[in-house]
Amino acid sequence: MKTGNEQLPENAGTEGWRHEFLEGAEDAMPIVMAAAPFGALFGAAAAAQGLPGFEIILASLTIYAGASQFVFLELYGLSVPAWSVVLAVFAVNFRHILYGASIGRKMGAFRPLSKYTAFFFLTDPQWAASEVRSDGPGLRPAYYFGFVVPLYSLWMAGTVIGVWFGSLIKNPTAFGFDMLLPIYFLAILMGFRKRVNWLPIVLVSGISSSVLSVTIGPPWHISLGGLIGLIVAAFLPLPKGKEERGDGEDG
Amino acid sequence: MARMAEFIETHTLALLVLACAAITYFTRVSGYWIIARFKAIPPRLDAALQAVPAAVLATLVFPPALTKGPVEGAVMLIAVFLCIRFSPIIVLIIGLSILVVGRTVTGL
């Protein structure tokens, strides 16, 4: 496998790496706005539940998945058996299997070590931005880790602040931060609208996940709704004479 | 064995955190492992994988848009049209502003 640097233009060198890294960091900015408040919310909620600071910070450091950490917190508070906490975290994270399957194919520019490091940081926004990048100039480690560094740092900083000043953080939804990720994901979703069969897949997944979210409830509505969309995608006819990636200029 | 039991007893929470971290990493890497086993990707599987962004992102977008409330639903609808013209960061700034104003004005 080739390294990221080898795939860059000859004269790019360190300068090219730096440029791509900064592009990743720049694309992470809208998400970083949410990472710190939500990290703080997690830290504060965990501290309020009486968890020791060390374990709270360990959770953000090693799990690094917002939704799963809140599920972990909620179930730990109910003092259910340990295996059921782990199972719930698995259920919440099931969608990541789809992310890995999709983005893993586009990581040709990663060495094994950077690939396996990259998977550790594969959060929802990280994955979404990487998909967009791979459709454009191609996904390379510099861009990927440029996105990781501010996001992970601010998530950790937020957690620590939350643990320390937990009682000060009353209502992070006041600034609409609870809708930041849905709006961001909508923007990314719209960016893929030139892909083949985009609209039917979006409608099938979107409507079935909405129905599932009010019937069976979270977290399975995401994975099941997504799988229904993928099954439909597999059986929809592809437009004749067109490439599978229908993201050309004409669209 | 007794010492191990004691270790688990005193570090239960930290060990549980690490177990959750391990299962999270496993879900992040396992999709890639499954796909890497294929020498050639069958066309239907390829079509499904190409659809992962649209299918999964839709499940993260539709439920909050349809079930959170009228203000949230309206903001998401406006954001659809904003996305045609503007970059994600601009859509976020306008969308969140409308949301905060809408919540304050309507009290919902």
Side-chain angles (χ1 to χ4, degrees):
Chain A
M1 276 289 142
K2 296 154 291 273
T3 70
N5 283 339
E6 280 164 14
Q7 291 203 340
L8 285 167
E10 281 295 324
N11 58 355
T14 323
E15 202 46 49
W17 199 93
R18 217 178 94 102
H19 180 71
E20 282 212 43
F21 185 91
L22 291 176
E23 279 181 336
E26 194 188 324
D27 285 354
M29 283 308 129
I31 288 309
V32 164
M33 296 197 309
F38 274 101
L41 180 64
F42 173 74
Q49 228 181 77
L51 268 67
F54 171 77
E55 275 85 353
I56 300 170
I57 291 163
L58 186 71
S60 278
L61 207 59
T62 61
I63 303 176
Y64 186 50
S68 346
Q69 287 177 227
F70 281 103
V71 166
F72 160 80
L73 199 58
E74 194 171 315
L75 288 186
Y76 184 75
L78 300 174
S79 19
V80 295
W83 62 264
S84 66
V85 178
V86 179
L87 187 68
V89 168
F90 176 73
V92 178
N93 282 327
F94 191 82
R95 67 187 187 283
H96 287 130
I97 297 175
L98 299 175
Y99 298 174
S102 175
I103 205 69
R105 300 201 298 164
K106 292 150 187 171
M107 287 180 157
F110 288 61
R111 289 181 191 193
L113 181 63
S114 67
K115 189 183 283 174
Y116 283 101
T117 310
F119 281 122
F120 174 82
F121 296 102
L122 192 63
T123 56
D124 306 69
Q126 181 80 46
W127 162 74
S130 303
E131 288 279 358
V132 173
R133 185 75 177 180
S134 69
D135 265 12
L139 180 63
R140 279 179 289 272
Y143 177 86
Y144 191 97
F145 290 105
F147 197 98
V148 163
V149 167
L151 189 56
Y152 189 70
S153 313
L154 268 290
W155 175 249
M156 289 314 302
T159 305
V160 172
I161 291 166
V163 171
W164 277 345
F165 304 106
S167 54
L168 299 176
I169 300 151
K170 291 253 156 47
N171 187 12
T173 65
F175 300 104
F177 283 134
D178 56 318
M179 288 299 286
L180 194 150
L181 285 175
I183 298 172
Y184 175 79
F185 291 133
L186 172 66
I188 302 291
L189 176 63
M190 289 293 289
F192 288 111
R193 66 183 181 277
K194 304 268 169 70
R195 277 200 188 184
V196 171
N197 294 328
W198 179 85
L199 188 62
I201 295 163
V202 165
L203 289 178
V204 166
S205 284
I207 292 167
S208 54
S209 65
S210 301
V211 171
L212 290 166
S213 79
V214 291
T215 50
I216 62 166
W220 285 105
H221 71 287
I222 294 174
S223 302
L224 289 179
L227 284 174
I228 293 169
L230 296 188
I231 292 165
V232 169
F235 290 100
L236 278 175
L238 292 167
K240 290 263 186 301
K242 246 195 156 185
E243 281 293 299
E244 303 230 311
R245 278 166 186 265
D247 42 16
E249 303 286 322
D250 49 59
Chain B
M1 281 311 276
R3 281 176 65 180
M4 190 162 149
E6 196 189 313
F7 182 83
I8 293 171
E9 188 89 14
T10 50
H11 299 281
T12 315
L13 181 54
L15 290 171
L16 185 59
V17 166
L18 293 178
C20 291
I23 198 82
T24 301
Y25 184 75
F26 175 77
T27 60
R28 284 171 175 169
V29 81
S30 56
Y32 166 67
W33 282 341
I34 295 166
I35 291 305
R37 294 191 72 87
F38 285 90
K39 288 247 158 47
I41 308 280
R44 291 204 186 282
L45 178 59
D46 189 66
L49 287 172
Q50 284 293 337
V52 168
V56 180
L57 288 168
T59 71
L60 300 172
V61 167
F62 275 62
L66 296 179
T67 64
K68 272 219 168 188
V71 179
E72 288 79 0
V75 167
M76 294 296 271
L77 190 62
I78 295 166
V80 169
F81 295 101
L82 291 175
C83 289
I84 296 167
R85 279 291 310 269
F86 302 107
S87 67
I89 181 92
I90 305 292
V91 175
L92 266 178
I93 292 167
I94 301 174
L96 292 180
S97 307
I98 300 172
L99 180 71
V100 172
V101 172
R103 279 177 176 170
T104 314
V105 171
T106 61
L108 291 168

